[in-house]
Amino acid sequence: DVKVTQSSRYLVKRTGEKVFLECVQDMDHENMFWYRQDPGLGLRLIYFSYDVKMKEKGDIPEGYSVSREKKERFSLILESASTNQTSMYLCASSLSPGFSNQPQHFGDGTRLSIL
Amino acid sequence: AQSVSQHNHHVILSEAASLELGCNYSYGGTVNLFWYVQYPGQHLQLLLKYFSGDPLVKGIKGFEAEFIKSKFSFNLRKPSVQWSDTAEYFCAVILTGGFKTIFGAGTRLFVKA
């Protein structure tokens, strides 16, 4: 079974801090994704990556960056945290686009609060 | 832009009631369709998926969904809900050959025991 592990379940940071959220998957998936989940808005894609060192902006990339130095690891970086980035952050992975009928596998999420 | 609409944000049912959650998408090309479920305190997991073939697909825990191409719909159904079905349900669409999955806003289902 695919395992997607996010480094923290809960995180509290201060405004202006640089924040790192880490995600690791164990199934050699090419694609990895970062979403934020807010009530009534569903999941909104921040960034995704389809290969090592490759990244693409999603729908709401402003204020975020990502890093994918190894296939199994995809990091989300909040360059200078702001209170409107308080949210639940979900990491997901899936097989390559040749298998777009493959579902995404999600981590447990990181609930991030910016004070 | 492509979008996915879920008609109900909150649904409250008694046990044994029938469930239907609506989902419509706006893309006219070939799509792959999913329903995901998030139980309280747990990660999102796949409930069922449709790629091709029989438009009525069966998923886990007695759920099913019907793809109606002419209506751009993929509604989720269950004949008799249980208290343990209390969860948030997300409809999702990915364009065939694409990377990006588009999620609906979610429907929170609460089943009264």
Side-chain angles (χ1 to χ4, degrees):
Chain A
D1 203 18
V2 177
K3 183 72 175 173
V4 178
T5 303
Q6 293 184 230
S7 53
S8 306
R9 287 298 298 269
Y10 301 94
L11 206 53
V12 180
K13 296 291 182 181
R14 295 205 175 274
T15 303
E17 279 193 71
K18 191 169 186 176
V19 181
F20 293 86
L21 302 183
E22 305 288 345
C23 175
V24 177
Q25 50 94 4
D26 66 357
M27 280 300 292
D28 204 36
H29 283 173
E30 285 80 4
N31 301 330
M32 296 189 75
F33 306 83
W34 274 107
Y35 294 92
R36 61 178 283 176
Q37 182 182 11
D38 298 290
L41 297 178
L43 277 69
R44 292 181 292 167
L45 182 64
I46 304 171
Y47 269 95
F48 68 97
S49 168
Y50 54 89
D51 202 352
V52 175
K53 298 192 184 295
M54 305 304 290
K55 59 185 179 184
E56 293 289 339
K57 292 180 180 178
D59 298 315
I60 51 165
E62 295 78 19
Y64 303 94
S65 63
V66 290
S67 172
R68 191 156 181 212
E69 297 297 317
K70 294 184 178 181
K71 191 174 186 179
E72 67 271 19
R73 185 179 297 271
F74 192 37
S75 304
L76 179 70
I77 303 150
L78 284 67
E79 298 292 342
S80 176
S82 63
T83 55
N84 62 12
Q85 292 177 309
T86 291
S87 187
M88 171 71 87
Y89 289 86
L90 299 180
C91 177
S93 70
S94 71
L95 285 172
S96 73
F99 302 95
S100 60
N101 55 1
Q102 296 297 321
Q104 294 186 21
H105 298 266
F106 288 86
D108 288 335
T110 296
R111 189 166 292 282
L112 175 64
S113 296
I114 307 296
L115 305 179
Chain B
Q2 296 90 33
S3 65
V4 176
S5 298
Q6 292 184 239
H7 310 306
N8 308 97
H9 288 176
H10 296 91
V11 173
I12 301 173
L13 295 172
S14 297
E15 274 196 315
S18 64
L19 170 72
E20 180 159 2
L21 302 182
C23 172
N24 286 89
Y25 62 94
S26 64
Y27 182 70
T30 305
V31 295
N32 298 316
L33 299 153
F34 305 84
W35 276 96
Y36 289 88
V37 60
Q38 187 174 32
Y39 297 104
Q42 296 186 27
H43 61 268
L44 263 84
Q45 56 188 284
L46 182 69
L47 200 55
L48 50 77
K49 58 187 179 183
Y50 171 81
F51 306 132
S52 63
D54 188 345
L56 185 64
V57 292
K58 307 281 188 185
I60 60 171
K61 303 187 180 185
F63 285 89
E64 64 179 31
E66 185 175 14
F67 171 51
I68 303 179
K69 189 174 181 180
S70 61
K71 294 185 178 180
F72 300 93
S73 71
F74 190 55
N75 292 354
L76 181 71
R77 299 196 292 248
K78 186 170 184 179
S80 175
V81 295
Q82 300 172 310
W83 176 81
S84 58
D85 293 324
T86 293
E88 190 161 16
Y89 294 81
F90 293 91
C91 181
V93 174
I94 184 168
L95 308 181
T96 302
F99 294 95
K100 189 175 164 184
T101 301
I102 302 162
F103 287 85
T107 298
R108 288 187 181 229
L109 171 66
F110 180 72
V111 180
K112 297 184 291 185

Short mmCIF file of all heavy atoms in Angstrom, two decimals, chain B residues 50-99:
data_model
loop_
_atom_site.label_atom_id
_atom_site.label_comp_id
_atom_site.label_asym_id
_atom_site.label_seq_id
_atom_site.Cartn_x
_atom_site.Cartn_y
_atom_site.Cartn_z
N TYR B 50 -13.98 6.24 -12.32
CA TYR B 50 -14.49 5.88 -13.64
C TYR B 50 -13.50 6.34 -14.70
O TYR B 50 -13.09 7.50 -14.71
CB TYR B 50 -15.85 6.53 -13.90
CG TYR B 50 -16.29 6.33 -15.34
CD1 TYR B 50 -16.87 5.14 -15.75
CD2 TYR B 50 -16.07 7.32 -16.29
CE1 TYR B 50 -17.23 4.94 -17.06
CE2 TYR B 50 -16.42 7.13 -17.61
CZ TYR B 50 -17.00 5.94 -17.99
OH TYR B 50 -17.34 5.74 -19.30
N PHE B 51 -13.16 5.41 -15.63
CA PHE B 51 -12.30 5.79 -16.75
C PHE B 51 -13.00 5.54 -18.08
O PHE B 51 -12.95 6.34 -18.99
CB PHE B 51 -10.99 5.01 -16.73
CG PHE B 51 -10.27 5.12 -15.42
CD1 PHE B 51 -9.78 4.02 -14.77
CD2 PHE B 51 -10.12 6.36 -14.81
CE1 PHE B 51 -9.14 4.14 -13.55
CE2 PHE B 51 -9.48 6.48 -13.60
CZ PHE B 51 -8.98 5.36 -12.96
N SER B 52 -13.67 4.39 -18.20
CA SER B 52 -14.34 4.04 -19.45
C SER B 52 -15.22 2.83 -19.18
O SER B 52 -15.20 2.26 -18.09
CB SER B 52 -13.31 3.72 -20.54
OG SER B 52 -12.55 2.58 -20.18
N GLY B 53 -16.02 2.45 -20.18
CA GLY B 53 -16.83 1.26 -20.04
C GLY B 53 -18.15 1.53 -19.35
O GLY B 53 -18.75 2.60 -19.53
N ASP B 54 -18.59 0.60 -18.56
CA ASP B 54 -19.88 0.69 -17.87
C ASP B 54 -19.94 1.99 -17.07
O ASP B 54 -19.10 2.22 -16.19
CB ASP B 54 -20.05 -0.51 -16.95
CG ASP B 54 -21.43 -0.60 -16.33
OD1 ASP B 54 -22.20 0.40 -16.37
OD2 ASP B 54 -21.76 -1.68 -15.79
N PRO B 55 -20.93 2.85 -17.35
CA PRO B 55 -20.99 4.13 -16.65
C PRO B 55 -21.40 4.03 -15.19
O PRO B 55 -21.32 5.00 -14.45
CB PRO B 55 -22.04 4.92 -17.45
CG PRO B 55 -22.87 3.88 -18.11
CD PRO B 55 -21.96 2.73 -18.38
N LEU B 56 -21.86 2.86 -14.78
CA LEU B 56 -22.19 2.65 -13.37
C LEU B 56 -21.02 1.92 -12.71
O LEU B 56 -20.72 0.78 -13.06
CB LEU B 56 -23.48 1.84 -13.25
CG LEU B 56 -24.02 1.65 -11.84
CD1 LEU B 56 -24.41 2.99 -11.21
CD2 LEU B 56 -25.22 0.70 -11.84
N VAL B 57 -20.37 2.60 -11.80
CA VAL B 57 -19.19 2.00 -11.16
C VAL B 57 -19.46 1.76 -9.68
O VAL B 57 -20.14 2.54 -9.02
CB VAL B 57 -17.94 2.89 -11.32
CG1 VAL B 57 -17.52 2.94 -12.77
CG2 VAL B 57 -18.17 4.29 -10.80
N LYS B 58 -18.90 0.66 -9.22
CA LYS B 58 -19.06 0.28 -7.81
C LYS B 58 -17.76 0.61 -7.08
O LYS B 58 -16.66 0.41 -7.61
CB LYS B 58 -19.32 -1.22 -7.70
CG LYS B 58 -20.48 -1.73 -8.54
CD LYS B 58 -21.81 -1.43 -7.91
CE LYS B 58 -22.94 -2.12 -8.68
NZ LYS B 58 -24.27 -1.76 -8.16
N GLY B 59 -17.92 1.08 -5.83
CA GLY B 59 -16.74 1.37 -5.04
C GLY B 59 -16.77 0.59 -3.74
O GLY B 59 -17.52 -0.37 -3.59
N ILE B 60 -15.96 1.07 -2.80
CA ILE B 60 -15.90 0.40 -1.52
C ILE B 60 -17.10 0.76 -0.66
O ILE B 60 -17.78 1.78 -0.91
CB ILE B 60 -14.59 0.75 -0.78
CG1 ILE B 60 -14.49 2.26 -0.53
CG2 ILE B 60 -13.38 0.26 -1.55
CD1 ILE B 60 -13.35 2.67 0.38
N LYS B 61 -17.40 -0.06 0.33
CA LYS B 61 -18.41 0.20 1.36
C LYS B 61 -19.79 0.44 0.78
O LYS B 61 -20.59 1.18 1.37
CB LYS B 61 -17.97 1.39 2.22
CG LYS B 61 -16.61 1.17 2.88
CD LYS B 61 -16.23 2.24 3.84
CE LYS B 61 -14.87 1.93 4.43
NZ LYS B 61 -14.47 2.87 5.48
N GLY B 62 -20.11 -0.19 -0.35
CA GLY B 62 -21.47 -0.13 -0.89
C GLY B 62 -21.80 1.11 -1.69
O GLY B 62 -22.95 1.31 -2.08
N PHE B 63 -20.81 1.96 -1.94
CA PHE B 63 -21.04 3.16 -2.75
C PHE B 63 -21.00 2.82 -4.23
O PHE B 63 -20.29 1.91 -4.66
CB PHE B 63 -19.99 4.23 -2.44
CG PHE B 63 -20.20 4.91 -1.12
CD1 PHE B 63 -19.63 4.40 0.04
CD2 PHE B 63 -20.96 6.06 -1.04
CE1 PHE B 63 -19.82 5.03 1.27
CE2 PHE B 63 -21.16 6.71 0.18
CZ PHE B 63 -20.59 6.18 1.32
N GLU B 64 -21.73 3.60 -5.02
CA GLU B 64 -21.68 3.51 -6.46
C GLU B 64 -21.85 4.91 -7.04
O GLU B 64 -22.32 5.82 -6.36
CB GLU B 64 -22.76 2.58 -7.01
CG GLU B 64 -24.18 3.05 -6.77
CD GLU B 64 -25.21 2.10 -7.35
OE1 GLU B 64 -24.95 0.88 -7.41
OE2 GLU B 64 -26.27 2.59 -7.77
N ALA B 65 -21.44 5.06 -8.29
CA ALA B 65 -21.60 6.35 -8.96
C ALA B 65 -21.94 6.09 -10.42
O ALA B 65 -21.51 5.10 -11.01
CB ALA B 65 -20.33 7.19 -8.84
N GLU B 66 -22.72 7.01 -10.97
CA GLU B 66 -23.13 6.88 -12.37
C GLU B 66 -22.62 8.06 -13.18
O GLU B 66 -22.88 9.23 -12.83
CB GLU B 66 -24.64 6.80 -12.49
CG GLU B 66 -25.10 6.54 -13.93
CD GLU B 66 -26.58 6.33 -14.05
OE1 GLU B 66 -27.32 6.62 -13.08
OE2 GLU B 66 -27.01 5.91 -15.14
N PHE B 67 -21.90 7.76 -14.24
CA PHE B 67 -21.41 8.79 -15.15
C PHE B 67 -22.46 8.99 -16.24
O PHE B 67 -22.82 8.06 -16.96
CB PHE B 67 -20.08 8.32 -15.76
CG PHE B 67 -19.57 9.18 -16.89
CD1 PHE B 67 -19.47 10.56 -16.72
CD2 PHE B 67 -19.18 8.63 -18.09
CE1 PHE B 67 -18.98 11.36 -17.75
CE2 PHE B 67 -18.69 9.42 -19.12
CZ PHE B 67 -18.59 10.79 -18.95
N ILE B 68 -22.96 10.22 -16.35
CA ILE B 68 -23.90 10.57 -17.42
C ILE B 68 -23.22 11.64 -18.26
O ILE B 68 -23.18 12.82 -17.88
CB ILE B 68 -25.25 11.05 -16.88
CG1 ILE B 68 -25.86 9.99 -15.97
CG2 ILE B 68 -26.20 11.38 -18.03
CD1 ILE B 68 -27.20 10.37 -15.35
N LYS B 69 -22.69 11.22 -19.40
CA LYS B 69 -21.87 12.10 -20.21
C LYS B 69 -22.64 13.32 -20.70
O LYS B 69 -22.13 14.45 -20.72
CB LYS B 69 -21.27 11.33 -21.40
CG LYS B 69 -20.23 12.09 -22.18
CD LYS B 69 -19.60 11.21 -23.23
CE LYS B 69 -18.52 11.98 -24.00
NZ LYS B 69 -17.89 11.14 -25.04
N SER B 70 -23.89 13.10 -21.10
CA SER B 70 -24.70 14.18 -21.65
C SER B 70 -25.00 15.27 -20.62
O SER B 70 -25.28 16.41 -20.97
CB SER B 70 -26.02 13.63 -22.20
OG SER B 70 -26.76 13.01 -21.16
N LYS B 71 -24.94 14.90 -19.36
CA LYS B 71 -25.21 15.85 -18.28
C LYS B 71 -23.94 16.30 -17.57
O LYS B 71 -24.02 17.06 -16.61
CB LYS B 71 -26.16 15.23 -17.26
CG LYS B 71 -27.56 14.94 -17.79
CD LYS B 71 -28.48 14.45 -16.69
CE LYS B 71 -29.89 14.21 -17.23
NZ LYS B 71 -30.81 13.74 -16.16
N PHE B 72 -22.79 15.82 -18.02
CA PHE B 72 -21.50 16.12 -17.37
C PHE B 72 -21.60 15.86 -15.87
O PHE B 72 -21.13 16.66 -15.05
CB PHE B 72 -21.10 17.60 -17.62
CG PHE B 72 -20.96 17.93 -19.08
CD1 PHE B 72 -22.03 18.46 -19.79
CD2 PHE B 72 -19.77 17.72 -19.73
CE1 PHE B 72 -21.90 18.75 -21.14
CE2 PHE B 72 -19.63 18.01 -21.08
CZ PHE B 72 -20.70 18.53 -21.79
N SER B 73 -22.21 14.74 -15.52
CA SER B 73 -22.43 14.47 -14.10
C SER B 73 -21.83 13.14 -13.68
O SER B 73 -21.65 12.22 -14.49
CB SER B 73 -23.92 14.49 -13.77
OG SER B 73 -24.56 13.36 -14.33
N PHE B 74 -21.53 13.05 -12.41
CA PHE B 74 -20.96 11.83 -11.82
C PHE B 74 -21.45 11.78 -10.37
O PHE B 74 -20.71 12.05 -9.44
CB PHE B 74 -19.43 11.86 -11.90
CG PHE B 74 -18.76 10.56 -11.54
CD1 PHE B 74 -19.09 9.38 -12.17
CD2 PHE B 74 -17.75 10.54 -10.59
CE1 PHE B 74 -18.46 8.19 -11.85
CE2 PHE B 74 -17.11 9.35 -10.25
CZ PHE B 74 -17.47 8.19 -10.89
N ASN B 75 -22.71 11.44 -10.19
CA ASN B 75 -23.32 11.47 -8.87
C ASN B 75 -23.01 10.22 -8.07
O ASN B 75 -22.99 9.10 -8.60
CB ASN B 75 -24.83 11.64 -9.01
CG ASN B 75 -25.21 13.00 -9.55
OD1 ASN B 75 -24.36 13.88 -9.72
ND2 ASN B 75 -26.49 13.18 -9.84
N LEU B 76 -22.81 10.41 -6.80
CA LEU B 76 -22.49 9.32 -5.87
C LEU B 76 -23.76 8.87 -5.16
O LEU B 76 -24.55 9.72 -4.73
CB LEU B 76 -21.47 9.81 -4.84
CG LEU B 76 -21.00 8.79 -3.81
CD1 LEU B 76 -20.11 7.74 -4.46
CD2 LEU B 76 -20.25 9.51 -2.68
N ARG B 77 -23.92 7.57 -5.01
CA ARG B 77 -25.13 7.04 -4.37
C ARG B 77 -24.77 5.92 -3.40
O ARG B 77 -23.76 5.23 -3.55
CB ARG B 77 -26.10 6.49 -5.42
CG ARG B 77 -26.58 7.52 -6.43
CD ARG B 77 -27.79 7.02 -7.18
NE ARG B 77 -27.46 5.90 -8.06
CZ ARG B 77 -27.49 5.97 -9.38
NH1 ARG B 77 -27.76 7.11 -9.98
NH2 ARG B 77 -27.21 4.91 -10.11
N LYS B 78 -25.66 5.78 -2.41
CA LYS B 78 -25.62 4.62 -1.52
C LYS B 78 -27.05 4.37 -1.06
O LYS B 78 -27.72 5.29 -0.60
CB LYS B 78 -24.70 4.85 -0.33
CG LYS B 78 -24.53 3.60 0.53
CD LYS B 78 -23.44 3.76 1.57
CE LYS B 78 -23.26 2.45 2.33
NZ LYS B 78 -22.19 2.52 3.36
N PRO B 79 -27.54 3.14 -1.18
CA PRO B 79 -28.95 2.87 -0.88
C PRO B 79 -29.31 3.06 0.59
O PRO B 79 -30.43 3.47 0.89
CB PRO B 79 -29.14 1.40 -1.28
CG PRO B 79 -27.95 1.03 -2.07
CD PRO B 79 -26.84 1.95 -1.70
N SER B 80 -28.36 2.78 1.48
CA SER B 80 -28.68 2.82 2.91
C SER B 80 -27.41 3.23 3.67
O SER B 80 -26.47 2.44 3.78
CB SER B 80 -29.17 1.44 3.36
OG SER B 80 -29.38 1.41 4.75
N VAL B 81 -27.40 4.45 4.18
CA VAL B 81 -26.18 4.94 4.85
C VAL B 81 -26.10 4.43 6.29
O VAL B 81 -27.10 4.11 6.92
CB VAL B 81 -26.10 6.48 4.82
CG1 VAL B 81 -25.96 6.98 3.40
CG2 VAL B 81 -27.30 7.12 5.53
N GLN B 82 -24.86 4.43 6.77
CA GLN B 82 -24.59 4.04 8.16
C GLN B 82 -23.92 5.20 8.87
O GLN B 82 -23.34 6.09 8.23
CB GLN B 82 -23.66 2.82 8.18
CG GLN B 82 -24.23 1.61 7.47
CD GLN B 82 -23.21 0.50 7.35
OE1 GLN B 82 -22.09 0.71 6.92
NE2 GLN B 82 -23.61 -0.70 7.75
N TRP B 83 -23.96 5.15 10.20
CA TRP B 83 -23.32 6.20 10.99
C TRP B 83 -21.86 6.36 10.60
O TRP B 83 -21.32 7.47 10.56
CB TRP B 83 -23.46 5.84 12.47
CG TRP B 83 -22.77 6.77 13.39
CD1 TRP B 83 -23.21 7.98 13.83
CD2 TRP B 83 -21.48 6.57 13.97
NE1 TRP B 83 -22.27 8.55 14.67
CE2 TRP B 83 -21.21 7.70 14.78
CE3 TRP B 83 -20.54 5.54 13.91
CZ2 TRP B 83 -20.03 7.83 15.51
CZ3 TRP B 83 -19.37 5.67 14.64
CH2 TRP B 83 -19.12 6.82 15.42
N SER B 84 -21.21 5.24 10.24
CA SER B 84 -19.79 5.27 9.91
C SER B 84 -19.51 5.94 8.55
O SER B 84 -18.34 6.13 8.19
CB SER B 84 -19.22 3.84 9.90
OG SER B 84 -19.94 3.04 8.98
N ASP B 85 -20.55 6.29 7.82
CA ASP B 85 -20.35 7.01 6.56
C ASP B 85 -20.18 8.51 6.78
O ASP B 85 -19.96 9.26 5.81
CB ASP B 85 -21.54 6.77 5.61
CG ASP B 85 -21.61 5.33 5.14
OD1 ASP B 85 -20.54 4.71 4.92
OD2 ASP B 85 -22.74 4.81 5.00
N THR B 86 -20.32 8.96 8.00
CA THR B 86 -20.08 10.37 8.32
C THR B 86 -18.66 10.74 7.90
O THR B 86 -17.69 10.16 8.36
CB THR B 86 -20.26 10.62 9.83
OG1 THR B 86 -21.63 10.42 10.16
CG2 THR B 86 -19.83 12.02 10.21
N ALA B 87 -18.57 11.71 6.98
CA ALA B 87 -17.27 12.04 6.38
C ALA B 87 -17.49 13.21 5.43
O ALA B 87 -18.60 13.69 5.24
CB ALA B 87 -16.73 10.83 5.59
N GLU B 88 -16.38 13.66 4.83
CA GLU B 88 -16.47 14.66 3.77
C GLU B 88 -16.14 13.95 2.45
O GLU B 88 -15.18 13.17 2.38
CB GLU B 88 -15.53 15.83 4.02
CG GLU B 88 -15.75 16.98 3.07
CD GLU B 88 -15.18 18.30 3.55
OE1 GLU B 88 -14.35 18.30 4.47
OE2 GLU B 88 -15.57 19.35 2.97
N TYR B 89 -16.94 14.24 1.44
CA TYR B 89 -16.82 13.57 0.15
C TYR B 89 -16.44 14.58 -0.92
O TYR B 89 -17.04 15.66 -1.02
CB TYR B 89 -18.15 12.88 -0.20
CG TYR B 89 -18.48 11.75 0.74
CD1 TYR B 89 -19.06 12.01 1.98
CD2 TYR B 89 -18.19 10.43 0.40
CE1 TYR B 89 -19.34 10.98 2.86
CE2 TYR B 89 -18.47 9.39 1.28
CZ TYR B 89 -19.04 9.67 2.51
OH TYR B 89 -19.31 8.64 3.39
N PHE B 90 -15.45 14.22 -1.72
CA PHE B 90 -14.95 15.10 -2.76
C PHE B 90 -15.06 14.41 -4.13
O PHE B 90 -14.58 13.29 -4.29
CB PHE B 90 -13.47 15.46 -2.53
CG PHE B 90 -13.23 16.30 -1.31
CD1 PHE B 90 -12.96 15.70 -0.09
CD2 PHE B 90 -13.27 17.67 -1.39
CE1 PHE B 90 -12.73 16.47 1.04
CE2 PHE B 90 -13.04 18.45 -0.26
CZ PHE B 90 -12.78 17.85 0.95
N CYS B 91 -15.65 15.12 -5.07
CA CYS B 91 -15.66 14.69 -6.45
C CYS B 91 -14.43 15.30 -7.14
O CYS B 91 -14.04 16.44 -6.81
CB CYS B 91 -16.94 15.18 -7.12
SG CYS B 91 -17.13 14.71 -8.84
N ALA B 92 -13.82 14.56 -8.06
CA ALA B 92 -12.61 15.07 -8.71
C ALA B 92 -12.56 14.61 -10.16
O ALA B 92 -13.06 13.52 -10.49
CB ALA B 92 -11.36 14.59 -7.96
N VAL B 93 -11.97 15.45 -10.99
CA VAL B 93 -11.88 15.19 -12.42
C VAL B 93 -10.44 15.41 -12.87
O VAL B 93 -9.81 16.38 -12.46
CB VAL B 93 -12.80 16.16 -13.19
CG1 VAL B 93 -12.61 16.01 -14.70
CG2 VAL B 93 -14.25 15.96 -12.81
N ILE B 94 -9.94 14.52 -13.71
CA ILE B 94 -8.65 14.74 -14.34
C ILE B 94 -8.82 14.52 -15.83
O ILE B 94 -9.47 13.57 -16.26
CB ILE B 94 -7.55 13.83 -13.74
CG1 ILE B 94 -6.19 14.16 -14.34
CG2 ILE B 94 -7.88 12.37 -13.91
CD1 ILE B 94 -5.03 13.51 -13.60
N LEU B 95 -8.25 15.43 -16.59
CA LEU B 95 -8.33 15.29 -18.04
C LEU B 95 -7.48 14.12 -18.48
O LEU B 95 -6.38 13.93 -17.98
CB LEU B 95 -7.84 16.57 -18.72
CG LEU B 95 -8.47 17.87 -18.23
CD1 LEU B 95 -7.90 19.06 -18.99
CD2 LEU B 95 -9.99 17.81 -18.37
N THR B 96 -7.96 13.33 -19.40
CA THR B 96 -7.22 12.17 -19.88
C THR B 96 -5.86 12.61 -20.40
O THR B 96 -5.77 13.50 -21.25
CB THR B 96 -8.00 11.45 -20.98
OG1 THR B 96 -9.27 11.07 -20.46
CG2 THR B 96 -7.26 10.20 -21.44
N GLY B 97 -4.81 12.00 -19.88
CA GLY B 97 -3.45 12.37 -20.25
C GLY B 97 -2.91 13.56 -19.49
O GLY B 97 -1.77 13.97 -19.71
N GLY B 98 -3.70 14.11 -18.58
CA GLY B 98 -3.28 15.30 -17.87
C GLY B 98 -2.65 15.00 -16.52
O GLY B 98 -2.64 13.87 -16.05
N PHE B 99 -2.10 16.06 -15.91
CA PHE B 99 -1.50 15.97 -14.59
C PHE B 99 -2.47 16.39 -13.49
O PHE B 99 -2.41 15.92 -12.39
CB PHE B 99 -0.31 16.94 -14.46
CG PHE B 99 0.86 16.62 -15.32
CD1 PHE B 99 1.00 17.21 -16.55
CD2 PHE B 99 1.83 15.75 -14.88
CE1 PHE B 99 2.10 16.94 -17.34
CE2 PHE B 99 2.93 15.47 -15.67
CZ PHE B 99 3.07 16.07 -16.90
#
